[in-house]
Amino acid sequence: MDADNGKMDGSRQSGSVGGESTGDAAPASAARRTLLIGAVATSAVVSIRPALAQTAGSVLNCQIPVPERGKGMYIDPTGKLVAPDTPGAFPPSPRDFTGEEVRKALQGSNLPGTTREQSQAYLNYIRKLQNGQSGFTCYASLQMPRR
């Protein structure tokens, strides 16, 4: 690009060529630059969108065990892990819940295969998950705003 006149092809522009004014070259050069920027932006969008779609799909298919395997604990109505003989506590879920199932339950439905009270206890447990616990990353991903 020539710094003197903004032309991209490097040629010099004089005030006139063969008696004609070449003042229209600058708008044409700006148009070429705009098209080039648009082409680059379009290719970026085309390559990013599939990645975002894949991420959204994987969030809905991730797994959240309730509670973590091997704990041998029940879940009380507040979502705390308690001893199996605690009155009012619920046994661990026989299967993991998917991100999609948890998302729907957070919006008001029950987790699959649970009563209303059991679903609420499990959701309270899930809401208390912390970094390092199984299912935390899945639950945290559900909390991210989507566009």
Side-chain angles (χ1 to χ4, degrees):
M1 185 166 132
D2 187 358
D4 292 337
N5 60 18
K7 289 188 74 162
M8 293 180 72
D9 62 5
S11 63
R12 294 240 174 236
Q13 174 183 344
S14 63
S16 66
V17 175
E20 294 178 13
S21 174
T22 58
D24 293 338
S29 177
R32 277 194 300 270
R33 257 181 283 173
T34 302
L35 287 173
L36 180 63
I37 290 169
V40 170
T42 300
S43 67
V45 168
V46 168
S47 62
I48 291 171
R49 278 209 178 139
L52 291 175
Q54 183 179 4
T55 301
S58 64
V59 166
L60 299 179
N61 293 321
C62 61
Q63 302 285 311
I64 302 176
V66 179
E68 281 186 78
R69 300 285 177 251
K71 294 278 185 185
M73 305 291 281
Y74 277 41
I75 300 172
D76 77 0
T78 66
K80 278 181 45 181
L81 292 178
V82 295
D85 59 350
T86 304
F90 299 99
S93 172
R95 68 174 190 88
D96 296 348
F97 297 109
T98 65
E100 176 69 12
E101 293 167 339
V102 171
R103 184 185 62 79
K104 286 180 181 178
L106 290 169
Q107 294 174 348
S109 65
N110 286 347
L111 289 166
T114 65
T115 64
R116 185 78 184 143
E117 294 78 21
Q118 193 175 19
S119 182
Q120 286 305 307
Y122 288 174
L123 286 175
N124 288 337
Y125 169 83
I126 291 169
R127 285 184 186 109
K128 293 179 180 184
L129 288 173
Q130 296 180 0
N131 196 10
Q133 288 181 288
S134 294
F136 171 78
T137 303
C138 182
Y139 176 65
S141 298
L142 293 174
Q143 304 306 306
M144 299 292 173
R146 294 199 196 158
R147 296 180 186 205

